[in-house]
Amino acid sequence: MRETCRREAEVSYRLSARDEAGFTLAEYVAAIAIFLVVVVAAMSVVIYASTSNAAAARREAALNLAGRQIEVARNQPYDNLGVSWPGTPNPRLEGDYTVETLVSWARNKEGRATSRLVHVIVSWDTPRPGKVELQTQIFGLSNVPNSGDVMVRVVEGFADGSTKPLPGVYVELTPSFGGAQKVLTESTGDAFFGHVGAGVYNFVATKSGYAIDHSGYGTSPTIIAGTAPPPLIVTAYKESTYQFDFEMEDGSAVPAGISATLTGNKITQTGVSSTPKTVTVADGKASFNALLPDNYSVGINLPAGYSFQESPPTNVAISTPDTHTSATITLVRDMTFVVTVTNDAGQPIPAANVQIYGPVSRSEQTDSAGVAVIPVTTAGEYTITATKADHVEASTTMVVVKGTDMDVSLVLERYGTLSCSYTGTSNTTLYVYDADGDVVTSGMTTGNGSPRSASFSLPAADYYYVSTKTPLNMATAAETGAVTPGQTTSVNVTSSN
């Protein structure tokens, strides 16, 4: 009996000790996990509810904005809709909402405009992107006299020659009478304009990522009053790009002032004209975007002092849509001759002719300071020559090292003047001989009575012989004179000389 009581007491003690020990670690972990699941679930519900409430508030505010825009449209003069209204910018920002208003025309079964359709789109980005759209039909009487309708159909062209309608293209029409109108092409690719004043008009279609071929309408089409003409079809192609990448041969920075020009029948997207497109180089690149399949002529202008290492391309061919190519053009810095020309008195000589001969031959005239700057692209040996009337030619030869500039000074000795007084009774020809007995110049005397005169501009020399006879051995006497640079020497000549 005592043994039985003792065992019952031990069991009771063990149970009591276990109860007093509390939860185990595993039990704590399990409890925390359950708690976190419950909390996360609750938070998700709260966040979802908060986001849903914010989105609902966003939607309600956006609907109010769209409704107000519809009311503004209803209060506009009928002919202003799609012309001067909604105006620019469109889309526009209203707080952190974007409001876009599109105006199009409802048509009857004959395809004529009957009323205006105003479509308002209000979009937002937070707390998550969304948008609302409202559309209304507005009836009214157009006051545009002799109005007609215009349909422009935009199709996308592919490399195999096939096409398909292209929706979402903005088409802006500018008539000769009334304001410009802008609509978005529908799923059929059609952009319809109603109540347009009769006469000539111009239109332009634009869509991001596409180039539109307007070249088929070089002459502005004509709106015929009271008619719904067949659609004018233009083709859009996924835009092509061409890029010129400029680099210097020596790895230095590409200079500023470079521009590149493309010229072609389809260079612009402005409707009826094809004006050359010029891009100024930035960061060594000139990029041409929105190009149509066509052949383009290339022109590249470089700043003074730079040349092409090799001839750049003269044509760019875009054969298929969505073509993206580039060409690298390497430039070299010109080696430059800076030639200063002075006379024997140290005075600068303007308008002197400077010529260089060598791997590259060029010529230039000196400026008012007597300086001529002549760039060359090829290193090597050059001869530099300067000439000027009534001056003695001067030249020098030097070797040009690649990438260097050369300062050259040339001195042109001035001619002197030999002034001759002739005592004969009639004018005659005077011959001037050098020290070797060769005729260097001749001229007729002028004047009446006696003496008569003749003047000769000659290089400086210690000896000149003036005679009325030729050849020299016919002369019986000599009149000689030395010529000094920039000075006049006088001699007397008789008929017996």
Side-chain angles (χ1 to χ4, degrees), residues 110-131:
E110 287 79 24
R112 294 302 312 279
T114 59
S115 60
R116 315 273 174 135
L117 298 175
V118 177
H119 185 190
V120 180
I121 305 168
V122 180
S123 59
W124 63 92
D125 294 325
T126 58
R128 56 175 178 261
K131 70 176 180 178

Side-chain angles (χ1 to χ4, degrees), residues 29-338:
V29 171
I32 291 171
I34 292 170
F35 177 77
L36 289 176
V37 168
V38 172
V39 169
V40 169
M43 290 295 293
S44 298
V45 171
V46 171
I47 292 172
Y48 178 80
S50 176
T51 303
S52 297
N53 289 338
R58 279 292 209 179
R59 179 178 176 81
E60 182 177 357
L63 283 170
N64 289 335
L65 274 176
R68 289 201 297 270
Q69 187 73 347
I70 291 291
E71 289 306 312
V72 171
R74 292 186 181 279
N75 291 316
Q76 296 295 317
Y78 184 72
D79 285 329
N80 286 359
L81 295 174
V83 181
S84 61
W85 189 90
T88 56
N90 185 31
R92 74 176 194 277
L93 291 178
E94 287 272 349
D96 54 358
Y97 291 93
T98 300
V99 180
E100 182 176 16
T101 306
L102 303 174
V103 179
S104 58
W105 285 259
R107 288 165 276 168
N108 58 24
K109 62 181 180 179
E110 287 79 24
R112 294 302 312 279
T114 59
S115 60
R116 315 273 174 135
L117 298 175
V118 177
H119 185 190
V120 180
I121 305 168
V122 180
S123 59
W124 63 92
D125 294 325
T126 58
R128 56 175 178 261
K131 70 176 180 178
V132 297
E133 300 184 42
L134 290 182
Q135 180 170 291
T136 189
Q137 189 171 4
I138 299 177
F139 292 87
L141 178 64
S142 175
N143 294 318
V144 177
N146 300 320
S147 66
D149 300 330
V150 173
M151 172 83 81
V152 176
R153 180 169 297 159
V154 183
V155 297
E156 181 177 357
F158 299 94
D160 61 2
S162 62
T163 62
K164 71 173 184 180
L166 185 62
V169 181
Y170 278 106
V171 181
E172 183 172 5
L173 181 143
T174 304
S176 55
F177 176 83
Q181 305 178 23
K182 188 175 184 179
V183 300
L184 201 62
T185 57
E186 304 164 357
S187 60
T188 58
D190 292 341
F192 180 82
F193 300 87
H195 305 149
V196 181
V200 297
Y201 64 95
N202 184 14
F203 69 91
V204 59
T206 56
K207 182 176 175 66
S208 177
Y210 284 83
I212 316 294
D213 186 359
H214 300 86
S215 61
Y217 299 96
T219 301
S220 297
T222 300
I223 302 170
I224 301 174
T227 65
L232 299 169
I233 300 176
V234 294
T235 305
Y237 298 91
K238 286 187 176 178
E239 71 170 355
S240 295
T241 62
Y242 197 92
Q243 180 171 291
F244 293 105
D245 297 320
F246 292 86
E247 63 180 16
M248 291 297 298
E249 181 194 31
D250 58 5
S252 61
V254 174
I258 304 173
S259 64
T261 300
L262 289 189
T263 304
N265 292 328
K266 300 179 181 180
I267 188 64
T268 62
Q269 315 310 314
T270 55
V272 298
S273 64
S274 56
T275 305
K277 186 174 185 178
T278 299
V279 173
T280 300
V281 174
D283 297 326
K285 303 181 185 301
S287 299
F288 292 89
N289 303 315
L291 295 178
L292 289 160
D294 197 16
N295 292 318
Y296 301 95
S297 297
V298 177
I300 299 176
N301 296 315
L302 300 180
Y306 294 88
S307 301
F308 302 106
Q309 185 182 53
E310 297 180 354
S311 297
T314 57
N315 295 283
V316 167
I318 305 294
S319 56
T320 60
D322 205 18
T323 298
H324 307 278
T325 54
S326 63
T328 299
I329 298 176
T330 302
L331 306 180
V332 294
R333 191 174 72 87
D334 293 341
M335 294 152 284
T336 304
F337 286 101
V338 180

